Each structure stands twice: as C-alpha cells, then as structure tokens.
Amino acid sequence: MTEHAWTNVDEYLNERLVENDPALQAALADSAAAGMPAIAVAPNQGKLLNLLARLSDARRILEVGTLGGYSAIWLARALPTGGRLITLELNPLHAQVAEKNLARAGVRDKVEIRVGPALETLARLASEKQAPFDLSFIDADKQNNAAYFDRALAMSRRGSLIIVDNVVRQGGVTDGRTADPAIVGTRKLFDRLSQEPRVDATAIQTVGVKGWDGLAIALVIGDA
Ligand code: SAH
Ligand code: DHB
Ligand code: MG
C-alpha cells in the first residue's frame, strides 16, 4: 500500500460523504497563501470531529491549536445556537487568518480565539471557572500533549470527550529511545491515558492524504 493509494481512497470517500463548500476550500487556500504549513486535519477527519461533537451534543468545545481555523470550522458547525468553541493559538498571524476564515464560514460569533502559549491560556481558562467543556480537541505542539490532556481533563465532566490528533506519527510513537520531543510528548500522553482512572480511551491508526498517523479518543468516565 502506498501513500498514493491512500490519497485516492480519501478522494473517493470525500467526494461521496464530505461537504467541501467554498468556505472550507477558501480556508485552506488562504492558509496556504499566508504561508502556513498544510497540516490541517483532512476533510474526512474534520467531518469525523463534526460528527463526534454532534453525537455528544457538545455545547462547549475547546480546541488547542487553531492554525487557519479549518478544524475549528468543522467543530463550530456542530454547535447548536448559543454553543461556543474556544480555540487556542500561539501565533497571532495564524489567529488572524483563522478569524477571517471563521467569519467567511459563518461561525465567527460562536468562536473565541485566544492568542498565546496554550499552557498559559489553559491556566487562565481554568481560573475563570466556566462550565466544563463537552469536547476537547488537542492539536498543537505535540511535546505538551500530556499537559494539554491534564488541563482539558480538569475542565471536563463525566461524559466529555477528549480527542488528540497525530498520535502515531508514521509509526514513530513506538520508538521509546527517540529524542524527538513530539514523540516523547505523545508517549507521555499515552502513559497518562493508560494510568488515569477518570478516562477510558482508545487510539486508532489512520492513513490517507496526511500519511500514516492516528488519533486518540478518551471518554471521561469520572467526576473531577
Ligand atoms: N487544528 C488545526 C491544525 C493545528 S496545527 C486544524 O486541523 O485545522 C498546530 C497549531 O498549533 C499551529 O497553528 C501552531 O502555531 C499552534 N501552536 C504551536 N504551539 C503552540 C502553543 N504552545 N500554544 C498554542 N498553540 C500552539
Ligand atoms: C504536524 C502537526 C499536525 O497537527 C498535523 O496534523 C500534522 C503534522 C506537524 O507539526 O508536523
Ligand atoms: Mg494535527
């Protein structure tokens, strides 16, 4: 199996099942034009996030890692009237592009973009004592994955979902001797997931336009 075949299959699936309206297309085009890396979730992955958010009746969603707002559009579109997505981004340029992309997609009023290092923003969010998040999507700098998980968990309730992107990294996750901070951080996340009694989790490998990777999904089963 080659990456080329995976891409063909993704195209086949996306053509049949996944919306690709002008706002989503423009979000990717404008992100590329702004010089951002092409690392947004794939269309069928964005749709998966959207379906999971709807399945869990999410009214409050947390995203760590906005980039150009592509995954944020998918998540925000799952929200009911009055629902809210808070998305955290380090790079103010990314946040600016995301803001325009979210506006064009018609969801700007549902989304709050907070600019700064996510660890700091998460600490501030926790101190605000808002209602818990129904779903969290962690997709920023991978070396902080375990810390992001802990902070998302602290702001979750029983029944919340926590989803983490890019947990396989072309199989790199099994390399216990690597110095790659992204892999080290992801392995720390799996240690946390396996030891945390408040969650029940799985992870699946994925192939497609983004190569060989995977995502972890944790269901919060205990109260804080
Ligand atoms: N979720 C997006 C992709 C996010 S890419 C999508 O699928 O469409 C990862 C993003 O995390 C980048 O925009 C990067 O600038 C941001 N990031 C990296 N380190 C960060 C940090 N410490 N705090 C917040 N955001 C960070
Ligand atoms: C990278 C980050 C992502 O969020 C992703 O989905 C793919 C790749 C990266 O930093 O290489
Ligand atoms: Mg990602």
Side-chain angles (χ1 to χ4, degrees):
M1 258 299 204
T2 64
E3 198 129 350
H4 175 71
W6 302 341
T7 298
N8 274 348
V9 173
D10 258 1
E11 281 166 7
Y12 175 89
L13 301 174
N14 289 336
E15 271 168 23
R16 280 155 186 81
L17 302 177
V18 182
E19 299 78 352
N20 188 20
D21 57 80
L24 283 168
Q25 289 173 37
L28 292 178
D30 283 10
S31 299
M36 289 151 67
I39 56 174
V41 294
N44 46 356
Q45 295 171 337
K47 179 83 180 266
L48 176 65
L49 293 175
N50 177 277
L51 292 172
L52 288 171
R54 287 154 62 194
L55 185 62
S56 53
D57 272 325
R59 296 187 59 84
R60 286 179 49 79
I61 300 178
L62 170 69
E63 177 178 68
V64 186
T66 315
L67 195 67
Y70 183 77
S71 53
I73 293 172
W74 279 109
L75 288 167
R77 284 181 172 174
L79 289 167
T81 308
R84 192 136 198 90
L85 165 66
I86 301 181
T87 182
L88 316 187
E89 174 56 51
L90 175 66
N91 187 326
L93 208 85
H94 293 183
Q96 250 177 48
V97 174
E99 178 165 6
K100 290 196 185 117
N101 287 335
L102 288 158
R104 183 170 34 208
V107 293
R108 184 68 193 90
D109 58 322
K110 290 180 168 174
V111 183
E112 188 179 326
I113 307 171
R114 295 209 188 184
V115 179
L119 283 177
E120 289 176 19
T121 312
L122 286 164
R124 194 162 322 117
L125 263 176
S127 75
E128 291 170 14
K129 308 239 178 287
Q130 301 188 16
F133 291 104
D134 306 308
L135 185 152
S136 297
F137 177 52
I138 297 172
D139 190 22
D141 51 323
K142 315 306 174 192
Q143 74 260 26
N144 283 319
N145 266 346
Y148 293 152
F149 167 77
D150 279 337
R151 289 174 191 205
L153 179 60
M155 293 186 278
S156 297
R157 55 164 174 85
R158 184 198 299 251
S160 297
L161 277 185
I162 302 175
I163 304 167
V164 188
D165 197 23
N166 311 117
V167 297
V168 173
R169 310 293 293 209
Q170 321 288 335
V173 68
T174 57
D175 184 356
R177 287 188 293 183
T178 184
D180 179 345
I183 303 282
V184 173
T186 298
R187 290 175 62 86
K188 264 193 209 154
L189 167 76
F190 279 115
D191 290 343
R192 283 289 298 115
L193 286 172
S194 65
Q195 287 154 19
E196 174 53 61
R198 272 193 76 203
V199 301
D200 200 4
T202 190
I204 55 163
Q205 304 183 64
T206 56
V207 296
V209 292
K210 296 199 66 192
W212 174 26
D213 214 324
L215 63 145
I217 302 181
L219 175 67
V220 179
I221 55 169
D223 295 311

